Amino acid sequence: MSSLRPMSRSHAFLVRMKEMAVSAIAGAGQGVPAADGRARIFFVVHNKNHMSIFSGFAGILEAHGLAVHFASIGGHRHEAQALDAIVAARRPVIDIGEIASVATPFDLVVLGNDWGPRRLVRILQRLKARGVPLVAVVEGARFGLPRLYKHVDTLLCWGLSGLSIGAAGARIVGSPIIEKAAKLPRKVHDRPRVLVNYKFSGTAEDEG
């Protein structure tokens, strides 16, 4: 059984993400820290790709004195791979239903997809009504669609194209993958090159 409990009072935190790594910065300092002195960040993991994006954040957040939790979505079609990825990272896992029970406005919920499945959307609506801050990270270029990311307060984009989504609170934070690749030694090619996206065969709607 989980030991998570609602936090009645805590510091307010402003979270910014640069190169897809999170630095948590103490905000106005209002309120009193929780019993363990830490505010909480909940990462909602739809699939193994989300875990590959989020897992690097944990150590940075914990170094800033925050408690990090990873949540899976019970019943989601990619639940098994999400659980495997969380376990492989040697992280405890909870279900999103527990976030709905314990999260307060002093916590933060971070996710890559806010439009599905329906159970998640209902939970996000409940959290938002209670004032729990919701942050989404744009997972990839195919998710830049106007109807997406409507339930979160802040949207962290990899580049200018992400702003076209029209979500409130959109911010450009950069792409760690592109920035890392740009720093690697590269051979000079004197012939034309073509970039082929081979990874995705479905659409954004498939993720719901």
Side-chain angles (χ1 to χ4, degrees):
M1 181 176 295
S2 172
S3 60
L4 293 178
R5 294 174 298 172
M7 293 171 57
S8 58
R9 295 185 295 180
S10 176
H11 283 293
F13 281 87
L14 169 66
V15 174
R16 67 175 167 82
M17 299 185 189
K18 175 57 180 145
E19 296 181 347
M20 302 305 291
V22 184
S23 294
I25 302 176
Q30 303 196 356
V32 177
D36 65 357
R38 298 190 296 173
R40 297 172 295 189
I41 308 291
F42 296 98
F43 288 103
V44 179
V45 181
H46 279 73
N47 50 51
K48 61 182 180 182
N49 187 48
H50 284 181
M51 192 59 190
S52 70
I53 295 172
F54 295 149
S55 59
F57 299 169
I60 297 173
L61 288 165
E62 289 166 339
H64 281 79
L66 302 178
V68 176
H69 302 279
F70 290 95
S72 64
I73 304 171
H76 187 255
R77 64 193 183 95
H78 293 314
E79 180 186 10
Q81 64 167 261
L83 288 172
D84 287 345
I86 296 171
V87 171
R90 298 182 178 180
R91 289 284 176 176
V93 59
I94 61 175
D95 183 78
I96 55 169
E98 190 163 354
I99 298 178
S101 300
V102 303
T104 76
F106 301 109
D107 299 316
L108 186 72
V109 176
V110 182
L111 59 163
N113 171 339
D114 77 338
W115 59 90
R118 292 180 180 177
R119 179 182 176 223
L120 172 65
V121 173
R122 290 194 295 267
I123 288 175
L124 293 179
Q125 291 171 338
R126 288 167 56 190
L127 292 172
K128 193 166 188 177
R130 295 210 308 265
V132 178
L134 307 176
V135 175
V137 178
V138 176
E139 178 184 347
R142 68 180 179 144
F143 294 102
L145 301 175
R147 72 173 188 84
L148 307 182
Y149 302 110
K150 299 302 183 185
H151 300 289
V152 294
D153 305 299
T154 302
L155 177 64
L156 304 175
C157 309
W158 290 0
L160 286 171
S161 61
L163 299 181
S164 64
I165 299 173
R171 304 178 186 177
I172 297 176
V173 294
S175 166
I177 298 173
I178 295 175
E179 292 169 9
K180 181 179 179 180
K183 296 177 182 178
L184 296 175
R186 291 175 291 173
K187 295 181 179 179
V188 177
H189 297 274
D190 57 1
R191 59 183 180 181
R193 288 169 288 171
V194 176
L195 177 64
V196 178
N197 182 358
Y198 68 92
K199 183 177 179 181
F200 302 119
S201 59
T203 65
E205 285 77 4
D206 295 334
E207 287 300 309

